[in-house]
Amino acid sequence: VATVLIIFFPGYGNCITLGQNSAVMLTLLLWGWVLLSRGYPVLGGILWGLLAFKPVWAAAFFLAPLLLRQWRFCAAVVLPA
């Protein structure tokens, strides 16, 4: 439901067409964290691994699971890259 609401947000289309991908990045971060909290660290890590298109942000957000010692999540983030 949240993903559909984000897509129908008025600024979503303009962000995508102008190359500003904040909505896509927020969606990846949110669902990666949701999957981690629900016990699916590998799937959540794969979603966070898709943040490789913004390497500075991916490195900044990588510190959270690293400090929480979520090793499977961290491995799943790094392996797709």
Side-chain angles (χ1 to χ4, degrees):
V1 173
T3 305
V4 173
L5 291 175
I6 289 173
I7 291 172
F8 285 118
F9 183 74
Y12 182 80
N14 291 334
C15 284
I16 297 300
T17 58
L18 293 174
Q20 302 296 325
N21 43 26
S22 58
V24 173
M25 201 167 95
L26 178 63
T27 304
L28 288 173
L29 285 171
L30 177 72
W31 280 107
W33 196 261
V34 166
L35 288 170
L36 174 65
S37 67
R38 291 187 180 175
Y40 299 101
V42 175
L43 291 175
I46 289 171
L47 283 181
W48 275 32
L50 295 175
L51 290 173
F53 68 91
K54 291 279 194 175
V56 173
W57 285 104
F61 287 117
F62 186 71
L63 290 175
L66 188 65
L67 294 174
L68 290 173
R69 296 182 179 177
Q70 296 289 332
W71 307 124
R72 289 189 294 169
F73 188 91
C74 291
V77 170
V78 174
L79 289 179

